[in-house]
Amino acid sequence: MKSMMLACTFAAAAAGFARAEAVPGQDAPAFKSTCTKGTAVALADLKGKYVVLEWTNPGCPFVKKHYGPGNMQAVQKELTGQGVVWLTVNSAAPGKGGHVTAERWNAVAKEQGSAATGLLIDESGEIGRAYGAKTTPHLFVIGPDGKVLYAGAIDDKPSTDAADVAGAVNYVKQAVAEAKAGKPVSVPKTAPYGCGVKY
Amino acid sequence: MFKVPPGLALVLAASAAIPREARPAEAPIRASLVAAVTRFRPGEPFDGAIRLEAARGWHTYWTNPGEAGLATTVRWTLPEGFTAGPLRWPAPKRFVTGGIVSFGHDGATLLPVEIRPPADWPAGRAATLRARVDWLGCREECVPGGADVEIVLSAAEAAVASDEADAVARAVASVPRPDPRVRFHARAVEGGIAVRLEGAVAEAPAAFFPLAGGVLRAAPEPAWTRVGVGVHETVLALEAGVPAPSRMAGVLTFAGAETRRPAFLDFAVDGRTVPQDNPKGVRP
């Protein structure tokens, strides 16, 4: 049991990314990892699908803003319902606030009603650094061709106030909808807002 | 009902104090509203300030919080005819947690605000200034907080300074402003903005804090190269995939900032040298 959990929590970013950042219009940094339920995940195997990467930290008030009232779960549900692969990533280092074990995170996600396809523990921070993930939340949308479509904030209302969710433009939903309609993504990059990733 | 002598009542109240261990933990951030005056002259602006006190290890955020965090906000509820200007932010400090760089304030910080009372405010009538202050306080973890703060002032023929007057005046004097000694030259280069600063003779430039987020990389801190007397150059790195803007504004601090006020810079990124001699207003 313990060894399986360790396998789940081991995240290895694959070689081959020259940049230390995911940039809209460029190839998304490749990674291989194992989700908290033990399934292997490799970005290369997800070609042909839209992929959303969501950086998270359960203790962060900006994350709570979106999970408390069920906003993040609703977006996950809507997009995974359209065939989008949604991976939630936690890059908190061991000993840092928000670091979780696979078992604990699975329980939290169930309680929250997370509709993510998978949860990735990146305690070495390799995937986070490869993408330039800075905040929780920080979101990336990758197109079926493996190129980054969007990098940045969840929406246009930087705050910790859940009341701001209602009137906000959700950049992730917007990017996926525009790309699926064959249009260029109108807002491909924004400054993310949130707590710093606890590398 | 028997009457308790006032002195005894005080003793009783003191002995009934809550045991130390039952007191709530000290709040990481506390806010209050202060003013340079206890009495103002109607129609004559005076300085107020939001005071933020961060417990050891905690900080709040500047107007551009950097790579993470959230700027402190203030919403005013003022008596009729009063107006409050924008927050006049002091230069921030850099806070680095796990390689993520943010801009903010620790310890005791005053955010000055100019208050303008109406010219027809009656003498002797109290004016209660109220503000809602919301902040994000972080050390490693982050806790959002807020407070409703207020101060009661009254009008007089001549303004009367408060006990806070000196502290508020020092805070106002430390707010970055355009520096006529500084000339700035900026041009877009691959992945960044190359800048040349003229006019930093005695004090070398230190950090540059852009007013807008999401344009410049916060890390690493730009390293300045001295290329002549009072002339320094650096390249401000742009965020990946972000084109150079045509204009930039921000705050430049100097090494040994106690001796030189931080400069507010507003410049075109076009290769022309811009004297920072605009005497109008203090920004941000």
Side-chain angles (χ1 to χ4, degrees):
Chain A
M1 180 64 198
K2 187 151 190 195
S3 64
M4 197 194 83
M5 270 169 52
L6 284 174
C8 282
T9 59
F10 176 71
F17 48 83
R19 290 171 314 278
E21 204 152 335
V23 179
Q26 299 184 7
D27 287 336
F31 65 86
K32 281 182 187 168
S33 184
T34 308
C35 85
T36 54
K37 300 239 165 116
T39 319
V41 181
L43 185 64
D45 297 340
L46 299 172
K47 273 262 166 77
K49 294 186 178 205
Y50 287 89
V51 177
V52 173
L53 299 179
E54 171 214 353
W55 260 262
T56 201
N57 181 322
C60 168
F62 296 89
V63 171
K64 289 178 184 170
K65 167 193 176 183
H66 290 284
Y67 274 94
N71 177 55
M72 193 67 84
Q73 300 92 316
V75 180
Q76 290 164 348
K77 198 169 178 187
E78 181 179 329
L79 295 185
T80 53
Q82 299 169 18
V84 173
V85 174
W86 185 299
L87 301 172
T88 303
V89 188
N90 183 327
S91 295
K96 295 289 181 73
H99 176 258
V100 287
T101 61
E103 190 177 36
R104 170 83 188 122
W105 196 8
N106 285 338
V108 168
K110 190 174 177 187
E111 195 180 307
Q112 286 173 327
S114 164
T117 315
L119 312 175
L120 304 182
I121 293 177
D122 174 44
E123 62 185 18
S124 69
E126 282 184 75
I127 302 176
R129 290 200 174 91
Y131 275 75
K134 289 173 182 152
T135 58
T136 55
H138 191 166
L139 288 110
F140 300 86
V141 180
I142 302 162
D145 59 357
K147 291 198 187 303
V148 178
L149 289 170
Y150 174 75
I154 173 77
D155 64 23
D156 64 347
K157 293 278 191 294
S159 79
T160 55
D161 187 353
D164 288 338
V165 169
V169 174
N170 187 295
Y171 291 128
V172 176
K173 286 205 296 189
Q174 181 173 281
V176 172
E178 287 171 345
K180 285 196 163 190
K183 295 182 203 161
V185 173
S186 56
V187 184
K189 181 159 175 140
T190 60
Y193 70 86
C195 308
V197 174
K198 310 297 182 212
Y199 289 116
Chain B
M1 201 167 160
F2 70 94
K3 223 174 152 187
V4 179
L8 179 59
L10 196 70
V11 171
L12 289 171
S15 63
I18 306 164
R20 191 170 292 272
E21 56 275 17
R23 284 186 188 143
E26 193 187 340
I29 311 294
R30 287 186 297 175
S32 55
L33 175 57
V34 297
V37 298
T38 54
R39 295 182 180 215
F40 59 88
R41 187 178 146 88
E44 188 178 290
F46 60 88
D47 290 315
I50 301 294
R51 186 207 299 276
L52 295 172
E53 288 169 81
R56 194 179 171 80
W58 291 80
H59 62 268
T60 56
Y61 291 89
W62 192 52
T63 180
N64 168 14
E67 292 183 327
L70 193 65
T72 299
T73 59
V74 177
R75 276 173 300 152
W76 294 94
T77 305
L78 298 173
E80 198 176 340
F82 278 72
T83 57
L87 287 181
R88 296 158 74 185
W89 298 87
K93 294 179 187 171
R94 289 166 68 94
F95 294 90
V96 183
T97 310
I100 303 293
V101 180
S102 50
F103 308 144
H105 309 281
D106 60 4
T109 306
L110 290 182
L111 309 178
V113 176
E114 187 182 79
I115 309 285
R116 191 174 285 271
D120 58 355
W121 191 265
R125 185 168 150 202
T128 304
L129 314 183
R130 294 190 173 91
R132 171 70 193 178
V133 187
D134 287 291
W135 61 81
L136 181 72
C138 296
R139 47 179 178 185
E140 188 189 296
E141 72 271 34
C142 298
V143 180
D148 296 302
V149 296
E150 65 172 55
I151 189 168
V152 182
L153 306 173
S154 62
E157 283 289 310
V160 177
S162 73
D163 291 348
E164 308 282 355
D166 287 350
V168 173
R170 278 196 303 275
V172 170
S174 74
V175 171
R177 69 170 173 200
D179 185 336
R181 292 174 292 175
V182 166
R183 288 167 68 82
F184 211 71
H185 175 104
R187 67 194 161 85
V189 293
E190 179 70 33
I193 299 170
V195 299
R196 190 174 74 235
L197 173 79
E198 300 169 13
V201 179
E203 308 90 354
F208 178 73
F209 299 97
L211 218 49
V215 180
L216 295 183
R217 283 180 190 274
E221 198 167 2
W224 294 86
T225 307
R226 185 176 173 278
V227 296
V229 177
V231 184
H232 296 78
E233 291 182 346
T234 194
V235 175
L236 305 172
L238 288 161
E239 284 275 356
V242 173
S246 58
R247 282 200 85 78
M248 278 220 76
V251 168
L252 180 73
T253 59
F254 298 91
E258 326 76 67
T259 59
R260 184 158 181 177
R261 184 177 186 160
F264 178 78
L265 302 174
D266 184 356
F267 52 91
V269 184
D270 62 357
R272 279 186 297 173
T273 300
V274 188
Q276 296 293 318
D277 57 358
N278 171 13
K280 273 194 295 179
V282 177
R283 289 205 290 151

